[in-house]
Amino acid sequence: MASVNRRQLVRTGTLSAGVLLVAALAVFVNYFCWKYNQRFDWTGSQLYSLSERTQNVLKELDKDVEFLVFLPPSQRDIYEPTQEVLARYDAASPRIRVRLVDPDRNPLEAQQLIQKYGVQSAGIVVVSGNDRRVIDAGELAELDYSTVQFTGQPEMKGYKGEQLFTSALLQLSEGKKPRILFTTGHGELSLDDQGPGGLARAQQTLGSDNFDIEEWASLGKPAVPEGTDLVVIAGPKASFVKPELDIFTAYLSRGGRMLVMLDPTLGQAGGSGLVRTGLEGWLAGYGAPIGQNIVVDPTNPLPFVGPETIYVQSYGDHPIVKPLADGNLPVLLNVARSVGAGSAPGLQVTELFRTSAEGWGESNLANLQSVQRDGADLAGPILLGVAIESEAAGEGKRPTRLVVFGDSEFAANQLLEMNVANSVLLTNALNWLVEREALLGIPPKKTEQVHLTLTSQEMGTIFLLAVVVLPVVAIAVGGGVFYRRRRR
C-alpha cells in the first residue's frame, strides 16, 4: 500500500512539474515574442516591408498618431495590404496606434467616427491631437486601365499605402509644408497641364508628399519671395534676363535651394543650334556647364522610339540616386543634353547619373535624321545630372543646394506615369534640396499578380485525378484496412 501511494505521489509530482514547466515555457516564449516582435514578408516584391525612409520617419516621430481605417474587409485588394502594412507601422513605433473600423459589423461606432472626422468615403484618417489627414481609399491603388476592355475593370498594379501613410506622418510632425515656386514666363512646363508634357501628375505627387506648390513669374520681381524653400525651373524655351539671374544668385547666396531642368530645345531657324536660356553660363559659374548637344546612347534605347529617348541606370554616389542604384531602377529620359561636373569656389559638385560608355553628345544639330558619332561629338559616358552643395556654412546659415538635370520631360506626365523611377528621382531631388533626407525614396510597391493558365487537356487531367482517381484510391485503401481487420 505504501509503495502504491509512493508511485501515485511520484506520478502526481512528475505531472505537476511537467505542467509547471510547460506553463513557464509558454510564459518565456510569449515574453520574448512580445519583446522581440518580428514580422516576415514572403511576397516577392516585399509588398509589406517598410522602407528605410519610413523607418527613419517613425524613429523621429515625437507625437502620438492614430490611424483610423474605414475600409470594409470585402475590399480585399486594398484592405489586406493596408491592414498588414499598418500593423508594421504599429510594431515599429510605440507612438503609432492602428484602429480598424468595420462599417458593416460596427455601424454605430463607424457612424460616430465618420461624423467626428468628416469622412466622406472609405479611407484612412491619420490623427494627432487636433490635427488630422484623410487618405481616400482610391488613392491607395495604382491602377492599370489597359485591362478594362478585356475584364471590364482596371487591374491594380501597385500599392501606394506606404507612400501616403509616411507622407501623412511627415505632415503631422512637421506642421509646415516646404514652399516650392515653379517659374513661369519662359515657356516652362505647366503645373496645370494634363497633357503628356505637363506637370499635373508631378503636382499631385508632390502635393501628397507635403509640399506647398505655386507658380511664380520671376520677370520684374526684385527678389525671390520670403519664405520660399525651393525654386524650380522646369524646361524653359525662352531666355532669362540678367535681373532674373541676379535675384537667383542673391537667393542662393543666402542658402537658397534651386532645381534647374534644361532641355535641348532646337531653334526655329535651321542650323541655329539650341535655344539659349541665359542659364547656361550662369550654371557654369556653379560648376555645372551645360552642353550644346543632344545625348544619344545606342546601348540603352527605349524600344519603338527614336535614339534620343534613352534609359539611364549608371548612378553616382549621392543620396538622391542611392535608392535607384540599390533597386537597379532605370530612369527614362526624352531628348536630354549633357551637364558637366566642373569646379567652383566653395562648392562641391557630385555626379548623379550618366549614360553608358557608348553614349555621346551629338553636336551636329543641323542633321538629326541620321545621327552618327564623329570626332566633334562629346565622348561618353555623358553626365546628365549633378548635385551642388556649398561647404559648411557658418552658425545659423544653411548651405546652398542646387540640382541640375539635362532634361525636364522625365518629370512630365507621360514618362512619370510610365516609369516609377522617374517619380523617385524627382521627389528625391526635391526632398534632398529642402533637407528632408529621411524621405528619400518610397516607390509604389508592385502587387503580385499570379495567373494560372491551363489547357483543356490539363483541366481534364486534374478533373480525372480529383474526381475519379483519388476517391477510388481512398476507397481501395479503406477497403483493404477493413478486410485486414476482419481477418484478425
Side-chain angles (χ1 to χ4, degrees):
M1 187 67 178
S3 63
V4 172
N5 290 338
R6 190 179 301 109
R7 283 198 301 270
Q8 184 66 32
L9 184 61
V10 170
R11 287 177 182 175
T12 303
T14 302
L15 180 60
S16 300
V19 170
L20 290 174
L21 183 61
V22 170
L25 183 61
V27 170
F28 277 114
V29 168
N30 278 276
Y31 171 76
F32 283 108
C33 287
W34 168 78
K35 186 173 179 62
Y36 303 103
N37 181 37
Q38 182 67 42
R39 304 178 74 92
F40 298 95
D41 185 358
W42 304 109
T43 60
S45 61
Q46 296 295 289
L47 177 64
Y48 305 128
S49 298
L50 300 184
S51 66
E52 182 180 356
R53 165 182 171 179
T54 293
Q55 293 174 13
N56 290 337
V57 172
L58 291 172
K59 288 178 183 177
E60 297 176 4
L61 197 61
D62 59 357
K63 57 180 66 176
D64 294 333
V65 178
E66 183 176 25
F67 285 83
L68 295 168
V69 181
F70 295 93
L71 291 176
S74 57
Q75 296 183 354
R76 293 185 58 189
D77 288 349
I78 295 296
Y79 182 83
E80 290 182 357
T82 298
Q83 181 186 30
E84 181 62 31
V85 169
L86 286 179
R88 293 170 186 266
Y89 277 73
D90 190 8
S93 172
R95 293 284 192 177
I96 299 294
R97 181 189 173 198
V98 179
R99 188 174 175 185
L100 302 174
V101 182
D102 187 346
D104 297 330
R105 298 184 61 181
N106 301 297
L108 182 60
E109 178 192 26
Q111 189 60 35
Q112 291 175 341
L113 292 172
I114 286 172
Q115 291 178 353
K116 179 179 180 180
Y117 295 111
V119 180
Q120 302 297 323
S121 59
I124 295 95
V125 180
V126 191
V127 183
S128 180
N130 295 323
D131 200 1
R132 66 177 180 268
R133 297 291 183 273
V134 179
I135 301 169
D136 189 85
E139 300 178 67
L140 296 170
E142 190 174 68
L143 300 176
D144 180 7
Y145 289 91
S146 64
T147 62
V148 172
Q149 57 181 328
F150 304 108
T151 64
Q153 59 184 6
E155 181 179 288
M156 180 175 168
K157 66 176 184 178
Y159 178 71
K160 301 189 292 184
E162 186 184 356
Q163 282 182 319
L164 298 169
F165 302 153
T166 300
S167 175
L169 289 178
L170 180 71
Q171 294 178 38
L172 293 172
S173 61
E174 284 186 339
K176 172 186 175 294
K177 295 183 178 182
R179 185 187 184 196
I180 303 179
L181 299 183
F182 281 71
T183 64
T184 63
H186 313 84
E188 294 95 332
L189 305 187
S190 172
L191 290 172
D192 297 324
D193 188 351
Q194 301 281 346
L199 293 177
R201 188 177 179 88
Q203 182 179 28
Q204 180 183 4
T205 299
L206 299 177
S208 66
D209 221 11
N210 197 28
F211 288 109
D212 184 9
I213 304 169
E214 301 176 33
E215 290 188 336
W216 173 64
S218 56
L219 185 61
K221 300 300 190 298
V224 174
E226 288 293 328
T228 300
D229 296 286
L230 174 63
V231 174
V232 177
I233 301 176
K237 297 176 177 61
S239 181
F240 286 80
V241 297
K242 187 176 184 302
E244 291 176 290
L245 301 180
D246 289 342
I247 66 173
F248 293 153
T249 302
Y251 173 66
L252 289 177
S253 69
R254 301 192 303 271
R257 312 294 168 84
M258 291 186 67
L259 170 61
V260 181
M261 300 179 284
L262 294 184
D263 300 309
T265 304
L266 290 171
Q268 297 295 324
S272 61
L274 301 181
V275 171
R276 297 280 179 169
T277 65
L279 296 166
E280 292 82 2
W282 181 75
L283 288 171
Y286 287 91
I290 305 299
Q292 297 300 306
N293 53 45
I294 292 179
V295 175
V296 179
D297 191 355
T299 61
N300 289 325
L302 193 65
F304 311 116
V305 296
E308 72 282 354
T309 302
I310 60 177
Y311 67 88
V312 178
Q313 53 186 352
S314 178
Y315 298 108
D317 183 16
H318 193 276
I320 290 177
V321 293
K322 185 178 184 300
L324 298 172
D326 292 345
N328 195 26
L329 298 172
V331 172
L332 295 183
L333 303 177
N334 183 36
V335 192
R337 67 198 300 178
S338 65
V339 178
S343 60
L347 297 175
Q348 178 182 354
V349 182
T350 304
E351 298 183 3
L352 293 179
F353 54 95
R354 63 187 74 82
T355 69
S356 69
E358 286 71 30
W360 74 87
E362 178 61 47
S363 58
N364 183 11
L365 304 180
N367 182 19
L368 294 175
Q369 300 301 318
S370 58
V371 176
Q372 292 184 349
R373 184 174 180 175
D374 56 43
D377 296 328
L378 182 64
I382 304 298
L383 187 60
L384 296 161
V386 297
I388 303 167
E389 185 173 19
S390 65
E391 297 174 353
E395 186 176 351
K397 181 181 178 183
R398 69 176 188 170
T400 296
R401 287 186 174 182
L402 171 65
V403 171
V404 183
F405 293 140
D407 176 42
S408 70
E409 292 187 0
F410 83 91
N413 298 331
Q414 185 176 35
L415 292 186
L416 210 63
E417 185 174 359
M418 286 176 58
N419 189 38
V420 66
N422 287 30
S423 178
V424 174
L425 176 63
L426 177 63
T427 55
N428 278 9
L430 297 179
N431 281 321
W432 179 78
L433 284 165
V434 298
E435 296 187 72
R436 297 200 306 182
E437 281 84 352
L439 283 182
L440 296 183
I442 303 181
K445 300 294 182 67
K446 297 299 178 184
T447 54
E448 296 182 327
Q449 303 290 340
V450 181
H451 301 282
L452 180 62
T453 304
L454 299 175
T455 65
S456 57
Q457 183 179 0
E458 291 168 335
M459 288 290 292
T461 302
I462 293 174
F463 177 82
L464 184 65
L465 287 171
V467 178
V468 180
V469 176
L470 290 179
V472 169
V473 171
I475 292 171
V477 171
V481 172
F482 176 77
Y483 178 72
R484 289 183 60 186
R485 289 181 175 177
R486 287 291 301 271
R487 293 188 58 187
R488 290 179 180 176

